[in-house]
Amino acid sequence: MPTKCSDARCAGEQLPVKGTAASACKSSFMRFLGDRRGNIAMMFAVMTVPVTGLVGASVDYGKALQLRAKVQSAVDAAVLAAGREYQVSRDTALASARAATYFAQQTAGLPVTLGTNSVDPTTLTLRLGAQGTAQTPFLHMIGVQSLPVEASAEAKLAVGGNGQMSFEISMMLDVTGSMRGSKIEDLKLAAKDLIDIVVWDDQSQYTSRVALVPFSESVRVDLIGAEVATNGPSRIDFRDRSGRNRRYYLAPACVTERTGAQAFTDAGPYGQNKVGRMYTSSGDCSPPNRVVPLSSDKVMLKGVIDGFVASGNTAGHLGTAWAWYMLSPNWDNVFSPHSRPVAYGTPKVQKIAILMTDGEYNTEYCNGVTDSTINCNAPNGSSTTQARALCTNMKAAGVTVYAIGFQVSGSARTTLRSYCATDTTYYYDAADGEALRQAFRDIALKIAQLRLSK
């Protein structure tokens, strides 16, 4: 049987039978003294306090960095929200209030407050700053009660959105009879919102110009009509589809579609490539609102929009064609020098068309008279067919196309979404006036993007 060691320090240790109990205890004790594993244990015990402190400090600092990242993200988002508000309203108080509200929403429950909140209308710069504290459960033990957290952001509303781009923007705006009442008022607000956002006050380095193309059953070009339209008699006699003799008179202020080989291109209106004349029973025409070539005069542009009157049918292909012509360098000699489009491919210039309508395209022409009246068929096909061909070629020329359907369905929606818009993300369905206004704002903000400068 093995003998038990009587020394307390080796109590319970099983000793071999060989030798005496005393010699066995002595042997075990000497092994204990020579065992260097005890040194490691003591070293670990000594190092536990500083290592624990370092780990705790890392945890505290990590939490502070996480809090700062959240606050920085909130400040960045809030300053951009304020910038968008200022783009639309040009109201510094509203912009600052928007920043405060957005920041509060993004940081609810966090130990931070908004400090700097300023809008400089001279430099078009918005600045935000936030401060807070991160709690320190570990560093607290050595007297560090908390860690400060700060974040700041600056957004600049640069000319051309990013300070490096000029824009030529043409807006096709539906002023047909179906737009009467609240719809035309909604359109006025939406179009003016866009102008406020994309047309900058300082045009010295990078320009942002807008052209207006109100359309209904024709396009009113007023004085430039004589230059761009074909020659024709002052009146024409014809038989209508019911076989009755009719007499129509030249409407010199309005034009119809171009026929021939250049029907769906932006070739200049010279020689055989001029657009068509229009004839009506009275010699007058719709819409009463004229087209406006590219301009950076916000007051004038918004004044024209305020005067929009809804009347007439929907010749969407004519609006589409003239939205393109306003951007085409092939038409530059038609317009005054300050309204002339630059050449395609000019560095740092983007050409954009915005096409808006509220209904089916239903009006086309034969010999200057609506083909639903005169006893002949439109040589270019339906208004929808023509609009699709024009959109395809306009995009191929390098024009970016946004399309907005205002309570549309059927072929009108398909034409705008699938044929005209640059892609489906450039198409907007607007179910009501507020949605229409939001669509124009969204397009404007994509065109004139804010940038975080700091």
Side-chain angles (χ1 to χ4, degrees):
M1 295 291 294
T3 303
K4 295 285 186 179
C5 175
S6 60
D7 192 303
R9 287 171 294 183
C10 59
E13 181 176 342
Q14 297 289 327
L15 297 175
V17 174
K18 176 181 173 182
T20 65
S23 62
C25 283
K26 180 179 179 181
S27 176
S28 294
F29 181 64
M30 294 304 293
R31 286 200 306 272
F32 175 78
L33 292 177
D35 193 344
R36 296 184 179 274
R37 288 176 296 178
N39 294 345
I40 296 173
M42 287 187 289
M43 290 174 62
F44 180 77
V46 171
M47 293 297 295
T48 296
V49 174
V51 168
T52 301
L54 289 173
V55 172
S58 297
V59 171
D60 286 345
Y61 277 112
K63 288 182 177 180
L65 290 174
Q66 289 177 352
L67 177 60
R68 185 188 181 282
K70 291 179 181 179
V71 177
Q72 186 65 59
S73 178
V75 168
D76 289 345
V79 78
L80 291 176
R84 293 187 181 100
E85 174 61 47
Y86 186 70
Q87 280 180 307
V88 174
S89 66
R90 285 296 194 267
D91 188 314
T92 57
L94 286 178
S96 294
R98 176 62 174 154
T101 299
Y102 198 89
F103 180 80
Q105 292 172 346
Q106 297 294 308
T107 59
L110 297 180
V112 293
T113 57
L114 188 62
T116 304
N117 183 356
S118 66
V119 181
D120 186 338
T122 302
T123 61
L124 298 178
T125 303
L126 301 91
R127 296 181 179 88
L128 292 183
Q131 301 82 35
T133 56
Q135 297 304 307
T136 53
F138 291 99
L139 292 175
H140 181 81
M141 294 184 293
I142 59 172
V144 180
Q145 306 299 323
S146 62
L147 293 174
V149 172
E150 295 183 353
S152 62
E154 179 180 286
K156 191 168 183 62
L157 304 176
V159 174
N162 58 12
Q164 299 179 347
M165 184 72 70
S166 292
F167 294 104
E168 296 179 351
I169 304 165
S170 181
M171 289 200 289
M172 179 192 92
L173 304 172
D174 189 329
V175 292
T176 57
S178 59
M179 288 288 293
R180 290 189 183 98
S182 62
K183 293 177 74 174
I184 193 72
E185 299 305 318
D186 290 332
L187 173 59
K188 291 176 184 180
L189 292 173
K192 289 189 295 183
D193 276 350
L194 182 137
I195 287 171
D196 277 332
I197 295 172
V198 302
V199 179
W200 302 89
D201 294 331
D202 181 4
Q203 299 277 320
S204 60
Q205 184 175 7
Y206 294 98
T207 60
S208 51
R209 298 180 294 164
V210 175
L212 304 177
V213 183
F215 81 96
S216 60
E217 59 197 35
S218 64
V219 171
R220 180 178 289 269
V221 295
D222 284 342
L223 296 178
I224 65 173
E227 299 180 31
V228 303
T230 57
N231 294 323
S234 61
R235 68 186 190 189
I236 60 172
D237 297 309
F238 62 93
R239 286 183 178 273
D240 66 17
R241 288 188 177 273
S242 299
R244 295 173 297 180
N245 291 324
R246 305 287 291 271
R247 174 169 286 178
Y248 270 26
Y249 299 89
L250 177 67
C254 296
V255 294
T256 62
E257 61 258 54
R258 176 160 55 187
T259 58
Q262 304 300 327
F264 307 127
T265 76
D266 66 333
Y270 312 111
Q272 300 299 311
N273 297 330
K274 292 192 173 186
V275 300
R277 288 286 188 184
M278 184 179 186
Y279 292 85
T280 67
S281 61
S282 64
D284 199 2
C285 56
S286 290
N289 309 107
R290 64 179 178 85
V291 299
V292 178
L294 291 169
S295 175
S296 58
D297 186 339
K298 290 195 293 186
V299 174
M300 181 273 293
L301 290 168
K302 293 194 291 184
V304 170
I305 292 170
D306 279 331
F308 282 174
V309 176
S311 66
N313 295 318
T314 310
H317 65 296
L318 296 179
T320 303
W322 277 85
W324 186 7
Y325 299 160
M326 293 293 185
L327 302 173
S328 172
N330 299 321
W331 283 63
D332 59 356
N333 288 334
V334 173
F335 309 119
S336 60
H338 69 275
S339 294
R340 289 174 181 169
V342 301
Y344 291 126
T346 299
K348 297 184 178 181
V349 177
Q350 186 174 4
K351 294 177 181 285
I352 297 169
I354 301 171
L355 311 180
M356 174 269 160
T357 188
D358 82 326
E360 298 291 333
Y361 295 170
N362 57 20
T363 302
E364 48 276 330
Y365 291 83
C366 179
N367 297 326
V369 179
T370 56
D371 76 339
S372 60
T373 302
I374 196 170
N375 191 22
C376 71
N377 296 321
N380 290 347
S382 71
S383 179
T384 296
T385 298
Q386 295 183 61
R388 291 178 177 182
L390 287 161
C391 281
T392 297
N393 293 336
M394 177 165 43
K395 290 187 292 185
V399 177
T400 299
V401 181
Y402 291 91
I404 305 171
F406 189 15
Q407 300 176 1
V408 301
S409 60
S411 64
R413 185 179 188 275
T414 301
T415 296
L416 291 175
R417 187 175 188 271
S418 302
Y419 290 87
C420 288
T422 291
D423 62 45
T424 55
T425 64
Y426 287 68
Y427 172 72
Y428 295 80
D429 265 323
D432 54 33
E434 182 55 36
L436 179 68
R437 196 172 182 183
Q438 185 57 47
F440 273 87
R441 284 179 177 176
D442 192 68
I443 292 170
L445 292 172
K446 286 179 178 178
I447 293 171
Q449 293 179 359
L450 287 163
R451 66 183 177 93
L452 287 172
S453 52
K454 288 184 181 179

